[in-house]
Amino acid sequence: MTRLLSRKLTQYGLVLALVLVVSFALPRLAPGDPVTYLLGPEEAAALSPADRDRVAGQFGLDAPLPAQFVDYVGGVLSGDLGTSVRYGAPVAEVLLDRLPWTLLLVGGAGLLAAALALWAAVAGARRPGARDTDILGGVLLLSAIPPFFLGMLLLAVVSAELGLLPAYGASSAEGGLLGLDVLERLLLPLVTLTVTTTAVIYLIARTSLLTELSQGYVRFARAKGVGERAILRSHVLRNALLPIVTVFMVSFGDVLGGAVVIETVFAYPGLGSAIYEGVLARDFPLLQGALLLVAVAVIAANALADALYATIDPRVRRTGEVPA
Amino acid sequence: MSDLLELEGLHVAYGDRLAVPGASLTVGAGESVGLVGPSGSGKSTLVAAALGLLPGEARVDGGTARFRGEDLLAASPGRLRALRGAQIGYVTQDAMRALNPTMRAGRQVAEAMTVHGASPPRAAERLGELLALVGLAAEHADAYPHELSGGQRQRIALAAAIANEPDLLVADEPTTGLDVVVQRRLLDLLSGLRERMGLALLLISHDERVVARLCDRVQRLGPWGQPPSPVQPVRPAAPRAGRGDAPAYENPHASAYGGSHPPATAAPLLELRGVSATYRRRAGRGRAVPALREVDLTLRRGEIVGLVGRSGAGKSTLALLALGLIAPSAGEVRIEGRPLAALGRRARRQQRSRMHLIFQDAYDALPERLTVQRVLAEPLVIQGRRPDREGLADALARAGLRPAEAFLGRTAAELSGGERQRLALARAIAARPQLVVADEPTSMLDPDLRIELIDGMRAARDRDGTTFLFITHDLVLARRVCDRLVVLAEGRVVEHGPVEQVLATPCAPETRTLLEAAL
């Protein structure tokens, strides 16, 4: 177990190192630079190289690239992510400000989607045939709607036309994650993100349940006189969970990606819209910080999945490998 | 004697294909009846139909099924559930997989009692008695199925099936895949339970010897797809110690295959020299468990060598070593005089295309959705040869799948266990390899088909000069086909010699145990 653990930790360490390089390089590979954004194209063009360096120097962006990278890595290790070009505030502060909203949105949508997917899959598995295919068709149809389109549709109908819910933002007054207004504003983006996330998990859950239902132990449970409900609950679900957990954790990255689009559509002040604004502003420090945070979150999700396997399946405990 | 279970003219269809064309069967109270028939003849389907356990696409088209006079076909699902597991204990086929891998064994036995109304404490109390009854220790209750051997899993399933003291116990192929010694013990256990609990037994098996040992009467099902055949007349009870009476089957102590053996001077193809192999119980650390210890073995060209031993003796490990799929921890494996370990990647790959493994589990070994034709053609394609339809059909016919043309277009998913095993051999024959390692290739077949498969092996040897390493615990078959026999026990070769000599004058105690356990 200790050897397994150290191997896993090494793997995660390697991925993190790679993430550091990519999150540093990616924003800088895009055309444009922060100075042009701050001063506007004409003024930036009129600037002397020395002045340009001075502006960039405020954010530590005047040094040669290797030095910037060393700065970045050193900063990450000491907890300092630099200063945002767009907000003029420490990146860590900007991100921490945004994080709770995204957690609320992504976490809520993820859990909701998993619950819905599982419920739909179980409902279908319980009555294979017509009902199962109806559910399958319905989920596929819903998942075929692009998230930005669904978001705009909801905005246009629910907020603009019917005036039922506010159209943007996350809360009406400053402070406080709790309150009705938070829920009101969360609802539309949450629905949008949930709808787009459900399909992947549902498809895997359905296949997994159907596969498990055809296994010998299900047949034997029936031979013992166990009812179909109990078979699903106490035998099949746990065995079916392994691939579902995998997909849920892997799709976590996709959900965060979806959040970028949806937060932008709903002007929701989460990490996603921060990334979007960071891209527009060529805000290198903000972008690299946000990418790093997202990557760490995805790695953490995968680590959690690894730990969950062993809890779910006793065979994994022994060999450390997922059985086929 | 009043009849407990009465099935009359039961018709079962899968879609528009007939699976059971009107079969009848009766089991009286306390009676022991064997249901035999070739693989694919619908034995399991027949029982599943009566107990309301048919898969979704199958349906009962006609006939009656009664338990104690009650119409089972008209019974509600709830009523059938109440019968199953309570008055009718049912050990389903492939009991190796009948247990939920994520639930402790004891809970799976207790569940059989709690679903029929026993309180959890009462069930827990009785659990100990049940485990003792099937010859397991109380600790086995806490084990997960993967921590138990095949025989132990089979006993757990049996404990669950008899937990509520049923009047009728249905056991579907209870000994398939178990080695002879374990098989023998399990059959003894079944007959002991019958006597002690006074239950009626319906034993489904393709192996007439198993049935003959245990049953008062035998009923046969005809081959698949044939018109409804009247149930065979009841055969008088076979004496306890009697050997099975299937015509093609002989007593392992009697005559042997008299065909020509290749000369002992033929060039060696595969040599194992002082080969040992160890496994580690846990990934990374844990005690190393020796699976093979200093084994010496030479296979000459065109020879068929039988490898026998109980499960856990190291037979499969030896097979993997011979094919170079695992590396020995000590010693050397040579193929055509060259050490396997010294071959480069290319040479090794080429070598592998000339060796063929027939896996023990014909379900896992074949891709479900490929057609039989593609399954057969794959090794040829790997060797860079063009598969022709006639050649493939010929290989099928040689392995006993006839009419071959009809099988080519089917997918493996449509084949029964026995048919899959024949397909696996056909694949090996079609590839015309130098060496075939066949790991229990006949475990799911009925006796006649076993013989046929074995004869197919011998024909392949005579035609292509193929060398076979035949892993089995069936000494009858070993005697019929093998030139030499190697007996393994606990990773060591304990006896080794010409097959008649080993079977006629066994020296090692292990060989005698295996011979005595043979049915």
PDB file of all heavy atoms in Angstrom, chain A residues 216-217 219-220 222-225 227 234-235 238-239 314-315 319, chain B residues 81 84-85 90 97-98 100-103 108 111 116 144 146 157 283:
ATOM      1  N   GLY A 216     -23.885 -13.117 -13.317  1.00  0.00           N
ATOM      2  CA  GLY A 216     -24.331 -14.342 -12.658  1.00  0.00           C
ATOM      3  C   GLY A 216     -24.865 -14.106 -11.250  1.00  0.00           C
ATOM      4  O   GLY A 216     -25.808 -14.777 -10.822  1.00  0.00           O
ATOM      5  N   TYR A 217     -24.293 -13.137 -10.552  1.00  0.00           N
ATOM      6  CA  TYR A 217     -24.736 -12.970  -9.156  1.00  0.00           C
ATOM      7  C   TYR A 217     -26.158 -12.434  -9.079  1.00  0.00           C
ATOM      8  O   TYR A 217     -26.865 -12.657  -8.103  1.00  0.00           O
ATOM      9  CB  TYR A 217     -23.752 -12.102  -8.352  1.00  0.00           C
ATOM     10  CG  TYR A 217     -23.670 -10.657  -8.770  1.00  0.00           C
ATOM     11  CD1 TYR A 217     -24.573  -9.724  -8.297  1.00  0.00           C
ATOM     12  CD2 TYR A 217     -22.681 -10.218  -9.630  1.00  0.00           C
ATOM     13  CE1 TYR A 217     -24.500  -8.405  -8.666  1.00  0.00           C
ATOM     14  CE2 TYR A 217     -22.587  -8.902 -10.014  1.00  0.00           C
ATOM     15  CZ  TYR A 217     -23.501  -7.994  -9.530  1.00  0.00           C
ATOM     16  OH  TYR A 217     -23.433  -6.692  -9.917  1.00  0.00           O
ATOM     17  N   ARG A 219     -28.530 -13.266 -11.238  1.00  0.00           N
ATOM     18  CA  ARG A 219     -29.328 -14.467 -11.478  1.00  0.00           C
ATOM     19  C   ARG A 219     -29.454 -15.303 -10.196  1.00  0.00           C
ATOM     20  O   ARG A 219     -30.533 -15.767  -9.845  1.00  0.00           O
ATOM     21  CB  ARG A 219     -28.597 -15.288 -12.536  1.00  0.00           C
ATOM     22  CG  ARG A 219     -29.482 -16.056 -13.436  1.00  0.00           C
ATOM     23  CD  ARG A 219     -28.617 -16.742 -14.478  1.00  0.00           C
ATOM     24  NE  ARG A 219     -28.987 -18.135 -14.566  1.00  0.00           N
ATOM     25  CZ  ARG A 219     -30.129 -18.560 -15.072  1.00  0.00           C
ATOM     26  NH1 ARG A 219     -31.010 -17.698 -15.537  1.00  0.00           N
ATOM     27  NH2 ARG A 219     -30.416 -19.842 -15.108  1.00  0.00           N
ATOM     28  N   PHE A 220     -28.339 -15.408  -9.505  1.00  0.00           N
ATOM     29  CA  PHE A 220     -28.365 -16.200  -8.280  1.00  0.00           C
ATOM     30  C   PHE A 220     -29.203 -15.513  -7.203  1.00  0.00           C
ATOM     31  O   PHE A 220     -29.930 -16.171  -6.459  1.00  0.00           O
ATOM     32  CB  PHE A 220     -26.947 -16.469  -7.775  1.00  0.00           C
ATOM     33  CG  PHE A 220     -26.900 -17.423  -6.618  1.00  0.00           C
ATOM     34  CD1 PHE A 220     -27.474 -18.681  -6.723  1.00  0.00           C
ATOM     35  CD2 PHE A 220     -26.304 -17.065  -5.428  1.00  0.00           C
ATOM     36  CE1 PHE A 220     -27.449 -19.565  -5.657  1.00  0.00           C
ATOM     37  CE2 PHE A 220     -26.272 -17.936  -4.356  1.00  0.00           C
ATOM     38  CZ  PHE A 220     -26.843 -19.191  -4.473  1.00  0.00           C
ATOM     39  N   ARG A 222     -31.764 -13.670  -7.747  1.00  0.00           N
ATOM     40  CA  ARG A 222     -33.156 -13.954  -8.106  1.00  0.00           C
ATOM     41  C   ARG A 222     -33.527 -15.361  -7.675  1.00  0.00           C
ATOM     42  O   ARG A 222     -34.626 -15.599  -7.173  1.00  0.00           O
ATOM     43  CB  ARG A 222     -33.345 -13.827  -9.616  1.00  0.00           C
ATOM     44  CG  ARG A 222     -33.316 -12.391 -10.073  1.00  0.00           C
ATOM     45  CD  ARG A 222     -33.722 -12.266 -11.534  1.00  0.00           C
ATOM     46  NE  ARG A 222     -33.631 -10.874 -11.918  1.00  0.00           N
ATOM     47  CZ  ARG A 222     -32.994 -10.425 -12.999  1.00  0.00           C
ATOM     48  NH1 ARG A 222     -32.416 -11.275 -13.831  1.00  0.00           N
ATOM     49  NH2 ARG A 222     -32.938  -9.138 -13.252  1.00  0.00           N
ATOM     50  N   ALA A 223     -32.593 -16.296  -7.864  1.00  0.00           N
ATOM     51  CA  ALA A 223     -32.860 -17.685  -7.483  1.00  0.00           C
ATOM     52  C   ALA A 223     -33.056 -17.813  -5.980  1.00  0.00           C
ATOM     53  O   ALA A 223     -33.718 -18.724  -5.503  1.00  0.00           O
ATOM     54  CB  ALA A 223     -31.729 -18.585  -7.952  1.00  0.00           C
ATOM     55  N   LYS A 224     -32.460 -16.893  -5.218  1.00  0.00           N
ATOM     56  CA  LYS A 224     -32.649 -16.927  -3.765  1.00  0.00           C
ATOM     57  C   LYS A 224     -33.985 -16.318  -3.372  1.00  0.00           C
ATOM     58  O   LYS A 224     -34.369 -16.351  -2.211  1.00  0.00           O
ATOM     59  CB  LYS A 224     -31.531 -16.122  -3.071  1.00  0.00           C
ATOM     60  CG  LYS A 224     -30.196 -16.835  -3.063  1.00  0.00           C
ATOM     61  CD  LYS A 224     -29.201 -16.184  -2.099  1.00  0.00           C
ATOM     62  CE  LYS A 224     -28.679 -14.889  -2.641  1.00  0.00           C
ATOM     63  NZ  LYS A 224     -27.542 -14.352  -1.843  1.00  0.00           N
ATOM     64  N   GLY A 225     -34.668 -15.705  -4.355  1.00  0.00           N
ATOM     65  CA  GLY A 225     -35.955 -15.099  -4.051  1.00  0.00           C
ATOM     66  C   GLY A 225     -35.861 -13.627  -3.690  1.00  0.00           C
ATOM     67  O   GLY A 225     -36.812 -13.060  -3.173  1.00  0.00           O
ATOM     68  N   GLY A 227     -36.089  -9.769  -4.296  1.00  0.00           N
ATOM     69  CA  GLY A 227     -36.896  -8.965  -5.213  1.00  0.00           C
ATOM     70  C   GLY A 227     -36.042  -8.055  -6.071  1.00  0.00           C
ATOM     71  O   GLY A 227     -34.886  -7.783  -5.738  1.00  0.00           O
ATOM     72  N   SER A 234     -29.106  -3.554  -3.233  1.00  0.00           N
ATOM     73  CA  SER A 234     -28.040  -4.116  -2.403  1.00  0.00           C
ATOM     74  C   SER A 234     -27.002  -4.894  -3.205  1.00  0.00           C
ATOM     75  O   SER A 234     -25.944  -5.218  -2.685  1.00  0.00           O
ATOM     76  CB  SER A 234     -28.637  -4.994  -1.298  1.00  0.00           C
ATOM     77  OG  SER A 234     -29.387  -6.038  -1.851  1.00  0.00           O
ATOM     78  N   HIS A 235     -27.281  -5.212  -4.463  1.00  0.00           N
ATOM     79  CA  HIS A 235     -26.270  -5.942  -5.233  1.00  0.00           C
ATOM     80  C   HIS A 235     -25.709  -5.120  -6.387  1.00  0.00           C
ATOM     81  O   HIS A 235     -24.514  -4.937  -6.510  1.00  0.00           O
ATOM     82  CB  HIS A 235     -26.858  -7.239  -5.799  1.00  0.00           C
ATOM     83  CG  HIS A 235     -27.114  -8.285  -4.768  1.00  0.00           C
ATOM     84  ND1 HIS A 235     -26.119  -9.067  -4.267  1.00  0.00           N
ATOM     85  CD2 HIS A 235     -28.244  -8.662  -4.136  1.00  0.00           C
ATOM     86  CE1 HIS A 235     -26.632  -9.894  -3.373  1.00  0.00           C
ATOM     87  NE2 HIS A 235     -27.921  -9.668  -3.265  1.00  0.00           N
ATOM     88  N   ARG A 238     -23.797  -1.054  -6.162  1.00  0.00           N
ATOM     89  CA  ARG A 238     -22.422  -0.921  -5.718  1.00  0.00           C
ATOM     90  C   ARG A 238     -21.441  -1.402  -6.788  1.00  0.00           C
ATOM     91  O   ARG A 238     -20.414  -0.794  -7.019  1.00  0.00           O
ATOM     92  CB  ARG A 238     -22.232  -1.728  -4.439  1.00  0.00           C
ATOM     93  CG  ARG A 238     -20.863  -1.535  -3.874  1.00  0.00           C
ATOM     94  CD  ARG A 238     -20.835  -1.978  -2.434  1.00  0.00           C
ATOM     95  NE  ARG A 238     -19.462  -2.120  -2.002  1.00  0.00           N
ATOM     96  CZ  ARG A 238     -19.121  -2.609  -0.832  1.00  0.00           C
ATOM     97  NH1 ARG A 238     -20.052  -2.984   0.011  1.00  0.00           N
ATOM     98  NH2 ARG A 238     -17.867  -2.715  -0.504  1.00  0.00           N
ATOM     99  N   ASN A 239     -21.801  -2.504  -7.433  1.00  0.00           N
ATOM    100  CA  ASN A 239     -20.922  -3.003  -8.489  1.00  0.00           C
ATOM    101  C   ASN A 239     -20.905  -2.091  -9.702  1.00  0.00           C
ATOM    102  O   ASN A 239     -19.901  -1.996 -10.402  1.00  0.00           O
ATOM    103  CB  ASN A 239     -21.368  -4.407  -8.917  1.00  0.00           C
ATOM    104  CG  ASN A 239     -20.945  -5.454  -7.923  1.00  0.00           C
ATOM    105  OD1 ASN A 239     -19.762  -5.724  -7.789  1.00  0.00           O
ATOM    106  ND2 ASN A 239     -21.889  -6.017  -7.204  1.00  0.00           N
ATOM    107  N   PRO A 314     -13.866  -4.431  -2.961  1.00  0.00           N
ATOM    108  CA  PRO A 314     -12.839  -5.059  -2.129  1.00  0.00           C
ATOM    109  C   PRO A 314     -11.684  -5.644  -2.946  1.00  0.00           C
ATOM    110  O   PRO A 314     -10.588  -5.779  -2.435  1.00  0.00           O
ATOM    111  CB  PRO A 314     -13.603  -6.172  -1.412  1.00  0.00           C
ATOM    112  CG  PRO A 314     -14.827  -6.407  -2.226  1.00  0.00           C
ATOM    113  CD  PRO A 314     -15.163  -5.100  -2.833  1.00  0.00           C
ATOM    114  N   ARG A 315     -11.949  -5.969  -4.211  1.00  0.00           N
ATOM    115  CA  ARG A 315     -10.873  -6.547  -5.018  1.00  0.00           C
ATOM    116  C   ARG A 315      -9.767  -5.538  -5.266  1.00  0.00           C
ATOM    117  O   ARG A 315      -8.612  -5.882  -5.436  1.00  0.00           O
ATOM    118  CB  ARG A 315     -11.421  -7.051  -6.355  1.00  0.00           C
ATOM    119  CG  ARG A 315     -12.223  -8.318  -6.206  1.00  0.00           C
ATOM    120  CD  ARG A 315     -12.969  -8.615  -7.467  1.00  0.00           C
ATOM    121  NE  ARG A 315     -13.949  -7.568  -7.756  1.00  0.00           N
ATOM    122  CZ  ARG A 315     -14.770  -7.599  -8.784  1.00  0.00           C
ATOM    123  NH1 ARG A 315     -14.738  -8.580  -9.631  1.00  0.00           N
ATOM    124  NH2 ARG A 315     -15.643  -6.629  -8.975  1.00  0.00           N
ATOM    125  N   THR A 319      -5.131  -5.702  -4.708  1.00  0.00           N
ATOM    126  CA  THR A 319      -4.108  -5.585  -5.731  1.00  0.00           C
ATOM    127  C   THR A 319      -3.791  -4.148  -6.101  1.00  0.00           C
ATOM    128  O   THR A 319      -2.775  -3.880  -6.718  1.00  0.00           O
ATOM    129  CB  THR A 319      -4.563  -6.296  -7.015  1.00  0.00           C
ATOM    130  OG1 THR A 319      -5.785  -5.709  -7.422  1.00  0.00           O
ATOM    131  CG2 THR A 319      -4.745  -7.770  -6.772  1.00  0.00           C
TER     132      THR A 319
ATOM    133  N   ARG B  81     -41.220 -15.641  -6.297  1.00  0.00           N
ATOM    134  CA  ARG B  81     -40.118 -15.224  -5.423  1.00  0.00           C
ATOM    135  C   ARG B  81     -40.211 -15.911  -4.079  1.00  0.00           C
ATOM    136  O   ARG B  81     -39.224 -16.290  -3.486  1.00  0.00           O
ATOM    137  CB  ARG B  81     -40.126 -13.710  -5.225  1.00  0.00           C
ATOM    138  CG  ARG B  81     -39.305 -12.962  -6.236  1.00  0.00           C
ATOM    139  CD  ARG B  81     -38.884 -11.607  -5.684  1.00  0.00           C
ATOM    140  NE  ARG B  81     -40.012 -10.789  -5.257  1.00  0.00           N
ATOM    141  CZ  ARG B  81     -40.733 -10.055  -6.100  1.00  0.00           C
ATOM    142  NH1 ARG B  81     -40.440 -10.038  -7.374  1.00  0.00           N
ATOM    143  NH2 ARG B  81     -41.723  -9.336  -5.655  1.00  0.00           N
ATOM    144  N   ARG B  84     -39.013 -19.502  -4.676  1.00  0.00           N
ATOM    145  CA  ARG B  84     -37.581 -19.613  -4.954  1.00  0.00           C
ATOM    146  C   ARG B  84     -36.782 -19.290  -3.701  1.00  0.00           C
ATOM    147  O   ARG B  84     -37.026 -18.296  -3.036  1.00  0.00           O
ATOM    148  CB  ARG B  84     -37.167 -18.612  -6.038  1.00  0.00           C
ATOM    149  CG  ARG B  84     -37.557 -18.985  -7.427  1.00  0.00           C
ATOM    150  CD  ARG B  84     -36.733 -18.191  -8.410  1.00  0.00           C
ATOM    151  NE  ARG B  84     -36.835 -16.762  -8.211  1.00  0.00           N
ATOM    152  CZ  ARG B  84     -37.636 -15.960  -8.898  1.00  0.00           C
ATOM    153  NH1 ARG B  84     -38.403 -16.443  -9.836  1.00  0.00           N
ATOM    154  NH2 ARG B  84     -37.649 -14.665  -8.659  1.00  0.00           N
ATOM    155  N   GLY B  85     -35.846 -20.113  -3.413  1.00  0.00           N
ATOM    156  CA  GLY B  85     -35.005 -19.842  -2.254  1.00  0.00           C
ATOM    157  C   GLY B  85     -35.630 -20.363  -0.965  1.00  0.00           C
ATOM    158  O   GLY B  85     -34.923 -20.596   0.000  1.00  0.00           O
ATOM    159  N   TYR B  90     -31.985 -23.159  -5.471  1.00  0.00           N
ATOM    160  CA  TYR B  90     -31.509 -23.214  -6.858  1.00  0.00           C
ATOM    161  C   TYR B  90     -30.078 -22.680  -6.908  1.00  0.00           C
ATOM    162  O   TYR B  90     -29.836 -21.512  -6.643  1.00  0.00           O
ATOM    163  CB  TYR B  90     -32.448 -22.375  -7.725  1.00  0.00           C
ATOM    164  CG  TYR B  90     -32.139 -22.365  -9.204  1.00  0.00           C
ATOM    165  CD1 TYR B  90     -31.308 -23.303  -9.800  1.00  0.00           C
ATOM    166  CD2 TYR B  90     -32.706 -21.386 -10.026  1.00  0.00           C
ATOM    167  CE1 TYR B  90     -31.054 -23.274 -11.159  1.00  0.00           C
ATOM    168  CE2 TYR B  90     -32.463 -21.353 -11.385  1.00  0.00           C
ATOM    169  CZ  TYR B  90     -31.632 -22.294 -11.949  1.00  0.00           C
ATOM    170  OH  TYR B  90     -31.373 -22.252 -13.291  1.00  0.00           O
ATOM    171  N   ARG B  97     -19.342 -17.500 -10.555  1.00  0.00           N
ATOM    172  CA  ARG B  97     -19.718 -16.091 -10.673  1.00  0.00           C
ATOM    173  C   ARG B  97     -21.066 -15.812 -10.050  1.00  0.00           C
ATOM    174  O   ARG B  97     -21.671 -14.786 -10.304  1.00  0.00           O
ATOM    175  CB  ARG B  97     -19.771 -15.706 -12.140  1.00  0.00           C
ATOM    176  CG  ARG B  97     -18.434 -15.816 -12.795  1.00  0.00           C
ATOM    177  CD  ARG B  97     -18.606 -15.513 -14.241  1.00  0.00           C
ATOM    178  NE  ARG B  97     -17.521 -16.102 -14.990  1.00  0.00           N
ATOM    179  CZ  ARG B  97     -17.226 -15.770 -16.222  1.00  0.00           C
ATOM    180  NH1 ARG B  97     -17.918 -14.863 -16.833  1.00  0.00           N
ATOM    181  NH2 ARG B  97     -16.217 -16.338 -16.838  1.00  0.00           N
ATOM    182  N   ALA B  98     -21.569 -16.740  -9.266  1.00  0.00           N
ATOM    183  CA  ALA B  98     -22.896 -16.558  -8.701  1.00  0.00           C
ATOM    184  C   ALA B  98     -22.863 -15.653  -7.480  1.00  0.00           C
ATOM    185  O   ALA B  98     -23.899 -15.291  -6.952  1.00  0.00           O
ATOM    186  CB  ALA B  98     -23.507 -17.900  -8.320  1.00  0.00           C
ATOM    187  N   ASN B 100     -21.868 -12.148  -5.485  1.00  0.00           N
ATOM    188  CA  ASN B 100     -21.613 -10.724  -5.680  1.00  0.00           C
ATOM    189  C   ASN B 100     -20.205 -10.392  -5.186  1.00  0.00           C
ATOM    190  O   ASN B 100     -19.891 -10.593  -4.022  1.00  0.00           O
ATOM    191  CB  ASN B 100     -22.668  -9.961  -4.876  1.00  0.00           C
ATOM    192  CG  ASN B 100     -22.508  -8.463  -4.975  1.00  0.00           C
ATOM    193  OD1 ASN B 100     -21.489  -7.965  -5.447  1.00  0.00           O
ATOM    194  ND2 ASN B 100     -23.507  -7.749  -4.524  1.00  0.00           N
ATOM    195  N   PRO B 101     -19.346  -9.882  -6.075  1.00  0.00           N
ATOM    196  CA  PRO B 101     -17.945  -9.670  -5.704  1.00  0.00           C
ATOM    197  C   PRO B 101     -17.745  -8.610  -4.626  1.00  0.00           C
ATOM    198  O   PRO B 101     -16.688  -8.562  -4.006  1.00  0.00           O
ATOM    199  CB  PRO B 101     -17.272  -9.242  -7.017  1.00  0.00           C
ATOM    200  CG  PRO B 101     -18.372  -8.767  -7.881  1.00  0.00           C
ATOM    201  CD  PRO B 101     -19.584  -9.548  -7.487  1.00  0.00           C
ATOM    202  N   THR B 102     -18.742  -7.749  -4.410  1.00  0.00           N
ATOM    203  CA  THR B 102     -18.547  -6.678  -3.438  1.00  0.00           C
ATOM    204  C   THR B 102     -19.297  -6.933  -2.133  1.00  0.00           C
ATOM    205  O   THR B 102     -19.475  -6.032  -1.345  1.00  0.00           O
ATOM    206  CB  THR B 102     -19.000  -5.320  -4.015  1.00  0.00           C
ATOM    207  OG1 THR B 102     -20.382  -5.420  -4.363  1.00  0.00           O
ATOM    208  CG2 THR B 102     -18.199  -4.955  -5.243  1.00  0.00           C
ATOM    209  N   MET B 103     -19.765  -8.163  -1.932  1.00  0.00           N
ATOM    210  CA  MET B 103     -20.486  -8.448  -0.698  1.00  0.00           C
ATOM    211  C   MET B 103     -19.846  -9.650  -0.013  1.00  0.00           C
ATOM    212  O   MET B 103     -19.485 -10.618  -0.680  1.00  0.00           O
ATOM    213  CB  MET B 103     -21.950  -8.747  -1.020  1.00  0.00           C
ATOM    214  CG  MET B 103     -22.863  -8.728   0.186  1.00  0.00           C
ATOM    215  SD  MET B 103     -24.528  -9.342  -0.217  1.00  0.00           S
ATOM    216  CE  MET B 103     -25.341  -7.879  -0.760  1.00  0.00           C
ATOM    217  N   GLN B 108     -24.236 -12.986   1.891  1.00  0.00           N
ATOM    218  CA  GLN B 108     -24.971 -13.494   0.743  1.00  0.00           C
ATOM    219  C   GLN B 108     -25.745 -14.756   1.105  1.00  0.00           C
ATOM    220  O   GLN B 108     -26.781 -15.037   0.522  1.00  0.00           O
ATOM    221  CB  GLN B 108     -24.021 -13.751  -0.417  1.00  0.00           C
ATOM    222  CG  GLN B 108     -23.243 -12.504  -0.770  1.00  0.00           C
ATOM    223  CD  GLN B 108     -22.557 -12.586  -2.121  1.00  0.00           C
ATOM    224  OE1 GLN B 108     -23.129 -13.037  -3.087  1.00  0.00           O
ATOM    225  NE2 GLN B 108     -21.320 -12.128  -2.184  1.00  0.00           N
ATOM    226  N   GLU B 111     -28.642 -13.457   3.393  1.00  0.00           N
ATOM    227  CA  GLU B 111     -29.668 -12.775   2.608  1.00  0.00           C
ATOM    228  C   GLU B 111     -30.774 -13.739   2.184  1.00  0.00           C
ATOM    229  O   GLU B 111     -31.954 -13.385   2.173  1.00  0.00           O
ATOM    230  CB  GLU B 111     -29.025 -12.142   1.378  1.00  0.00           C
ATOM    231  CG  GLU B 111     -29.993 -11.321   0.551  1.00  0.00           C
ATOM    232  CD  GLU B 111     -29.392 -10.902  -0.768  1.00  0.00           C
ATOM    233  OE1 GLU B 111     -28.615 -11.691  -1.336  1.00  0.00           O
ATOM    234  OE2 GLU B 111     -29.697  -9.800  -1.234  1.00  0.00           O
ATOM    235  N   HIS B 116     -36.671 -14.180   3.082  1.00  0.00           N
ATOM    236  CA  HIS B 116     -37.838 -15.027   3.320  1.00  0.00           C
ATOM    237  C   HIS B 116     -38.332 -14.914   4.764  1.00  0.00           C
ATOM    238  O   HIS B 116     -38.913 -15.835   5.310  1.00  0.00           O
ATOM    239  CB  HIS B 116     -37.537 -16.480   2.954  1.00  0.00           C
ATOM    240  CG  HIS B 116     -37.343 -16.653   1.479  1.00  0.00           C
ATOM    241  ND1 HIS B 116     -38.372 -16.595   0.578  1.00  0.00           N
ATOM    242  CD2 HIS B 116     -36.222 -16.841   0.745  1.00  0.00           C
ATOM    243  CE1 HIS B 116     -37.902 -16.751  -0.650  1.00  0.00           C
ATOM    244  NE2 HIS B 116     -36.605 -16.902  -0.581  1.00  0.00           N
ATOM    245  N   TYR B 144     -14.520 -12.073   1.127  1.00  0.00           N
ATOM    246  CA  TYR B 144     -15.140 -11.682  -0.128  1.00  0.00           C
ATOM    247  C   TYR B 144     -14.935 -12.820  -1.124  1.00  0.00           C
ATOM    248  O   TYR B 144     -13.962 -13.572  -1.008  1.00  0.00           O
ATOM    249  CB  TYR B 144     -14.500 -10.398  -0.658  1.00  0.00           C
ATOM    250  CG  TYR B 144     -14.973  -9.172   0.076  1.00  0.00           C
ATOM    251  CD1 TYR B 144     -14.178  -8.564   1.027  1.00  0.00           C
ATOM    252  CD2 TYR B 144     -16.221  -8.625  -0.193  1.00  0.00           C
ATOM    253  CE1 TYR B 144     -14.607  -7.435   1.703  1.00  0.00           C
ATOM    254  CE2 TYR B 144     -16.661  -7.500   0.475  1.00  0.00           C
ATOM    255  CZ  TYR B 144     -15.855  -6.906   1.423  1.00  0.00           C
ATOM    256  OH  TYR B 144     -16.299  -5.806   2.089  1.00  0.00           O
ATOM    257  N   HIS B 146     -13.688 -13.180  -3.989  1.00  0.00           N
ATOM    258  CA  HIS B 146     -12.412 -13.357  -4.682  1.00  0.00           C
ATOM    259  C   HIS B 146     -11.354 -13.954  -3.756  1.00  0.00           C
ATOM    260  O   HIS B 146     -10.296 -14.365  -4.223  1.00  0.00           O
ATOM    261  CB  HIS B 146     -11.916 -12.033  -5.274  1.00  0.00           C
ATOM    262  CG  HIS B 146     -11.467 -11.038  -4.249  1.00  0.00           C
ATOM    263  ND1 HIS B 146     -12.323 -10.156  -3.647  1.00  0.00           N
ATOM    264  CD2 HIS B 146     -10.259 -10.791  -3.722  1.00  0.00           C
ATOM    265  CE1 HIS B 146     -11.649  -9.412  -2.798  1.00  0.00           C
ATOM    266  NE2 HIS B 146     -10.405  -9.770  -2.811  1.00  0.00           N
ATOM    267  N   ALA B 157     -22.557 -20.902  -2.319  1.00  0.00           N
ATOM    268  CA  ALA B 157     -23.797 -20.859  -3.093  1.00  0.00           C
ATOM    269  C   ALA B 157     -24.744 -21.965  -2.634  1.00  0.00           C
ATOM    270  O   ALA B 157     -25.947 -21.755  -2.487  1.00  0.00           O
ATOM    271  CB  ALA B 157     -23.497 -20.989  -4.588  1.00  0.00           C
ATOM    272  N   ALA B 283       0.149  -6.455  -4.416  1.00  0.00           N
ATOM    273  CA  ALA B 283       0.946  -5.678  -5.365  1.00  0.00           C
ATOM    274  C   ALA B 283       2.125  -5.070  -4.621  1.00  0.00           C
ATOM    275  O   ALA B 283       1.975  -4.453  -3.581  1.00  0.00           O
ATOM    276  CB  ALA B 283       0.090  -4.576  -5.980  1.00  0.00           C
TER     277      ALA B 283
END
